[in-house]
């Protein structure tokens, strides 16, 4: 039976188990949109910007573990997806982007709405395709899903010229695909696994650092099993939050630039780092030459290029986090039995001392709302049941510091690219996947305005996404750097005109709420959580002077942290002198 | 250090762009690159000459391997191999130097592939040392034009990889 290219796209998506597409129409993709008009099984969520569509698909993928799908038109539609694709690429998120393209005969002619999107996205996709013949279409789509979701996951783009979606061919679903140039290695080397186990046996001061790879490999259980069996404390990178329970006694939170004192201290003192599914980003390591000076390093990653890219490694293990962690625990259980509690006692006691010495704190205020307080209250009201996304800036760091994530796939944040405007559409995507869950975007006033148009999408599809704006009237993180490192010269970081977010919400047909005093925070959250059929914007007018601490300045070592209290004391002294 | 890396790739359009954008995007250096089909027309082979310390070369080979269209990457530097490059040199010697140019060409087992009243075009094949030696010898006679293929290389048989 012959099918058109557009019919093949729809058929393949269904066979891949896709239920939702995020997209935006235009001339060259109308063949496909026409079929979606009365399709019962495939639902397209019409966003208000292509960037919103990609972030939504990304949020959908992070929250579910299934690939997100995007459909946009050629030229500007395609170029609008680039930030979203790069965001997914940096965080290894599986999405498939279908972009329309001008008819094959016109490619290269500077035709109307032509853009070389395959060229543009080459460095920010795991792989991409231009389909020139409808006969290649089914296999290409199958390959794209396979590549996006296996190995180290990532975005794949398929460029579809208009004539290819109109041409007919006999449809054939490739049951199996083999790519001779692509064979991800899942099983870790047995000898290396034994080496890792033996280092763990010998070490006195070990620590695990878990990254986003633990989440994409669904290895949370294996991580917990290993940590609990050997009594090794666990640090999670921003991307790893949720991989290990945030409320667990072995959890030390996040390392790096805005990590906890005790996490950073633990890394600097440790004699063994077990790095799983993380890639030693500069925000994590601080000055690389002084990172973990006493530690041997075991590095487990599915992507060989991550290993030895930034740090020296003693035991490299290329493989799937789940299988490797399981393998290590098995070896440990089979060899010498140890009283791990006793072995770890001194180390854990030391860490506990650091925890008490400098916990993550802030100063509560009766008059002005502290942004950290909002995050804490959101946590208290939703404990363990909500999916949280963030924008980028101070809001992102406070969310990471003060919200405790107990389950994987409940924290959606743009870690690698740091994309402002990511959080809201990502939350929307997660809400599409889980209509009954509470989904909250912890936002900044600057970032929210970058994809604020998606309020219309949420209203249209009755998506009750909650947006909690930590409104400081500033590009707060930029302001923080200018305050600390640029002599308080606040160059273009003040957002002179911030709209009345309550009115904006109402104008879109959403609910708008505001809190200006700490005493109003709970009521606003309670009110927001009641709403089940439309988005809610919570405008928290917070202390604009608040900064994210501790902080390891860019280029400093992890133990060269700045703390809030000391900074404040200095300020007071300065004032007295003046 | 300089490395000669041989890369088997799918013979598809866009593959060369993937490789070259990998090098430029990550700031790796390409000294020369040559591409051609293999006996299997679906597969091409690229020989890339690049420089970098061990860490960079390790990243280069890993990053190349990571590309979906790359089938196999071999760093020939580590194994016994044969390298060849071909150059075409157009020289314009003075009347009295012509005989010397021809003599040197013969010594280097080159061939004159074109001649005009004022110029000879000489073809030379060999490894890098031989070619640069020849180029240096020709320089005083006046090199008008000069093109080179870039290096191609193949592992010697019977050596363990
Ligand atoms: C698209 C984009 N542009 C610029 C930046 C640089 N940047 C990082 S944080 C930040 C300020 C964010 O302001 P806001 O959303 O209000 O968050 P706050 O820090 O105030 O919580 C900026 C401009 C970025 N991360 N992303
Ligand atoms: Mg702000």
């Amino acid at each position: 039976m012959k099918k058109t290219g557009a019919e093949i796209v729809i058929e393949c998506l269904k066979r891949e188990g896709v239920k939702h597409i995020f997209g935006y129409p235009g001339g060259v993709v109308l063949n496909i949109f026409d079929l979606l008009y009365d399709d019962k099984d495939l639902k397209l969520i019409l966003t208000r910007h292509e960037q919103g569509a990609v972030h939504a698909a990304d949020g959908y993928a992070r929250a579910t573990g299934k690939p997100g799908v995007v459909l946009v038109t050629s030229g500007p539609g395609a170029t609008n997806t680039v930030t979203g694709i790069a965001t997914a690429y940096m965080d290894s998120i599986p999405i498939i982007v279908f972009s329309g393209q001008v008819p094959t005969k016109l490619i290269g002619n500077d035709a109307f709405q032509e853009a070389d999107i395959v060229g543009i996205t080459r460095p920010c996709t795991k792989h991409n395709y231009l389909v020139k013949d409808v006969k290649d279409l089914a296999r290409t789509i199958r390959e794209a899903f396979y590549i996006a979701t296996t190995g180290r996951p990532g975005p794949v783009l398929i460029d579809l010229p208009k004539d290819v979606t109109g041409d007919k061919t006999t449809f054939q679903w490739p049951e199996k695909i083999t790519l001779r140039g692509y064979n991800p290695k899942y099983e870790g080397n047995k000898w290396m696994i034994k080496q890792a186990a033996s280092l763990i046996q010998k070490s006195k001061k070990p620590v695990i650092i878990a990254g986003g790879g633990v989440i994409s490999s669904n290895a949370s259980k294996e991580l917990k099993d290993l940590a609990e069996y050997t009594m090794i404390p666990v640090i999670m990178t921003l991307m790893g939050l949720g991989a290990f329970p945030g409320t667990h006694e072995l959890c030390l939170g996040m390392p790096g630039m805005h990590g906890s004192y005790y996490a950073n201290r633990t890394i600097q003192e440790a004699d063994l780092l077990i790095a799983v599914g993380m890639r030693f980003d500069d925000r994590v390591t601080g000055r690389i030459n002084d990172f973990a000076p006493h530690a041997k390093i075991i590095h487990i990653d599915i992507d060989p290029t991550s290993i030895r890219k930034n740090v020296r490694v003693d035991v490299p293990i290329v493989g799937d986090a789940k299988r490797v962690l399981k393998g290590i625990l098995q070896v440990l259980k089979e060899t010498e039995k140890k009283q791990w509690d006793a072995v770890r006692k001194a180390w854990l006691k030391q860490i506990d001392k650091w925890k008490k010495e400098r916990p993550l704190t802030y100063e509560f205020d009766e008059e002005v709302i502290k942004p950290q307080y909002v995050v804490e209250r959101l946590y208290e009201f939703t404990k363990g049941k909500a999916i949280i996304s963030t924008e980028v800036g101070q809001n992102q760091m406070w969310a990471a510091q003060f919200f405790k994530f107990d389950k994987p796939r409940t924290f959606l944040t743009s870690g690698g690219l740091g994309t402002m405007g990511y959080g809201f559409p990502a939350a929307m995507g997660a809400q599409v996947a889980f209509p009954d869950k509470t989904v909250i975007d912890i936002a900044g006033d600057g970032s929210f305005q970058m994809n604020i148009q998606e309020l219309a999408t949420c209203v249209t599809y009755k998506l009750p996404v909650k947006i909690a704006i930590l409104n400081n009237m500033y590009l707060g993180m930029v302001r923080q750097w200018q305050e600390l490192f640029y002599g308080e010269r606040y160059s273009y970081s003040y957002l002179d005109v911030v709209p009345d977010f309550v009115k904006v919400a109402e104008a879109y047909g959403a609910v708008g709420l505001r809190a200006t005093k700490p005493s109003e925070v709970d009521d606003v959250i309670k009110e927001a959580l009641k709403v089940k059929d439309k988005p809610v914007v919570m405008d928290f007018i917070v202390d604009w002077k608040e900064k994210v601490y501790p902080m390891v300045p860019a280029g400093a070592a992890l133990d060269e942290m700045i703390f809030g209290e000391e900074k404040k004391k200095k300020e007071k002294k300065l004032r007295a002198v003046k | 250090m300089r490395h000669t890396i041989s890369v088997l790739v799918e013979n598809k359009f866009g593959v060369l762009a993937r490789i070259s954008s990998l090098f430029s995007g990550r700031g790796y250096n390409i000294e020369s690159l040559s591409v051609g089909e293999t006996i299997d027309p679906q597969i091409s082979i690229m020989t890339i000459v690049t420089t970098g310390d061990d860490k960079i070369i390790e990243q280069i080979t890993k990053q190349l391997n990571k590309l979906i269209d790359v089938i196999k990457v071999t760093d020939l530097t580590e194994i016994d191999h044969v390298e060849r490059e071909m150059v075409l040199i157009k020289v314009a010697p003075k009347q009295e130097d012509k005989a010397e140019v021809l003599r040197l060409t013969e010594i280097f087992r080159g061939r004159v592939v074109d001649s005009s009243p004022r110029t000879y075009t000489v073809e030379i094949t060999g490894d890098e040392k031989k070619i640069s030696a020849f180029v240096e010898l020709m320089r005083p006679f006046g090199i008008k034009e000069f093109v080179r293929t870039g290096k191609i290389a193949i592992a010697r048989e019977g050596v363990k990889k």
Side-chain angles (χ1 to χ4, degrees), chain A residues 280-282 285-292 310-312 555-557:
Chain A
F280 296 98
D281 183 278
D282 51 279
T285 62
R287 190 186 327 121
I288 200 92
N289 292 338
D290 294 310
F291 174 74
N310 298 334
V311 297
R312 73 207 141 73

Side-chain angles (χ1 to χ4, degrees), chain A residues 394-395 444-446 470-476 495:
Chain A
Q394 294 179 312
N395 58 84
D445 45 320
L470 308 180
N471 188 348
N472 52 13
M473 292 277 284
Y474 268 100
L475 301 173
L495 296 174

Side-chain angles (χ1 to χ4, degrees), chain A residues 184-233:
Chain A
K185 188 167 170 283
Y186 292 98
E187 227 48 77
N189 178 298
K190 287 226 167 61
W191 190 80
M192 286 295 180
I193 287 177
K194 274 196 188 127
Q195 291 303 106
S198 120
L199 278 188
I200 292 173
Q201 292 270 13
K202 279 183 227 146
S203 88
K204 295 203 167 59
K205 299 191 278 182
V207 60
I208 294 171
I209 309 183
V214 175
I215 296 174
S216 35
S217 121
N218 295 317
S220 288
K221 183 185 174 292
E222 289 70 18
L223 174 66
K224 189 155 168 265
D225 288 349
L226 179 68
E228 284 180 344
Y229 182 78
T230 52
M231 296 291 286
I232 298 180

Side-chain angles (χ1 to χ4, degrees), chain A residues 128 180 303-305 307, chain B residues 10 18 58-59 62 66 70:
Chain A
N128 61 16
R180 54 187 158 186
D303 179 359
T305 66
I307 290 173
Chain B
E10 297 287 348
R18 282 183 208 284
E58 178 179 337
Q59 271 297 313
K62 283 177 169 179
K66 194 167 150 181
V70 167

Side-chain angles (χ1 to χ4, degrees), chain A residues 22-23 47 49-61 68-72 77-78 80-88 93 95-97 155 422 425-426 428:
Chain A
F22 299 88
T47 58
H49 190 301
E50 287 89 353
Q51 184 186 355
V54 186
H55 290 326
D58 168 314
Y60 184 97
V69 177
V70 178
L71 172 60
V72 297
N80 269 348
T81 65
V82 172
T83 302
I85 293 173
T87 302
I93 305 303
I95 57 172
I96 322 288
V97 177
Y422 167 80
M428 180 171 86

Side-chain angles (χ1 to χ4, degrees), chain A residues 203-456:
Chain A
S203 88
K204 295 203 167 59
K205 299 191 278 182
V207 60
I208 294 171
I209 309 183
V214 175
I215 296 174
S216 35
S217 121
N218 295 317
S220 288
K221 183 185 174 292
E222 289 70 18
L223 174 66
K224 189 155 168 265
D225 288 349
L226 179 68
E228 284 180 344
Y229 182 78
T230 52
M231 296 291 286
I232 298 180
V234 179
I235 291 172
M236 279 165 281
T237 66
L238 182 67
M239 290 305 301
L241 290 175
F244 186 78
T247 50
H248 200 285
E249 53 173 3
L250 287 171
C251 176
L252 301 185
M254 188 172 73
M257 183 171 275
H258 292 298
S260 64
Y261 164 75
Y262 39 93
N264 284 343
R265 200 58 207 272
T266 302
I267 290 175
Q268 294 305 80
E269 301 279 330
D271 65 2
L272 178 64
L273 292 192
I274 304 153
V276 199
M278 55 83 74
R279 57 190 174 83
F280 296 98
D281 183 278
D282 51 279
R283 286 292 189 263
V284 166
T285 62
R287 190 186 327 121
I288 200 92
N289 292 338
D290 294 310
F291 174 74
H294 313 294
K296 288 222 152 73
I297 298 179
I298 299 170
H299 192 180
I300 303 161
D301 205 291
I302 190 119
D303 179 359
T305 66
S306 291
I307 290 173
R308 277 201 295 265
K309 185 174 63 180
N310 298 334
V311 297
R312 73 207 141 73
V313 174
D314 299 278
V315 180
I317 308 180
V318 176
D320 176 38
K322 194 182 181 84
R323 300 189 200 186
V324 174
L325 289 172
K326 208 171 169 179
I328 293 175
L329 181 58
Q330 206 177 329
V331 175
L332 284 171
K333 282 183 172 167
E334 280 161 10
T335 50
E336 182 194 346
K337 292 264 178 308
K338 276 204 181 188
Q339 285 309 112
W340 290 104
D341 295 30
V343 178
R344 292 282 172 264
K345 208 168 171 189
W347 177 228
L348 291 177
K349 210 172 132 196
Q350 171 64 69
I351 291 172
D352 214 46
K353 232 176 91 192
W354 291 329
K355 267 190 181 174
K356 294 208 172 89
E357 210 171 291
R358 285 188 188 276
L360 278 174
T361 54
Y362 68 96
E363 245 172 73
F364 179 77
D365 193 295
E366 296 284 349
E367 298 301 318
V368 281
I369 305 176
K370 293 288 179 171
Q372 300 95 326
Y373 177 68
V374 176
V375 176
E376 268 184 359
R377 297 312 296 163
L378 286 169
Y379 174 67
E380 287 303 322
F381 277 105
T382 59
K383 258 182 194 166
K385 294 193 293 282
I387 295 174
I388 302 294
S389 72
T390 76
E391 300 295 341
V392 170
Q394 294 179 312
N395 58 84
Q396 180 183 35
M397 291 300 112
W398 285 320
Q401 291 179 332
F402 291 93
F403 207 97
K404 293 186 187 71
F405 302 94
D406 276 337
K407 293 201 195 90
R409 305 197 179 279
T410 57
F411 183 54
L412 323 174
T413 196
S414 167
L417 199 65
T419 309
M420 288 171 69
Y422 167 80
F424 174 38
M428 180 171 86
Q431 190 83 77
V432 167
F434 298 106
D436 300 325
K437 275 204 178 164
T438 301
V439 184
I440 306 174
D441 171 34
I442 296 180
D445 45 320
S447 301
F448 182 46
Q449 291 185 73
M450 285 206 173
N451 273 314
I452 197 164
Q453 75 287 345
E454 299 309 325
L455 277 170

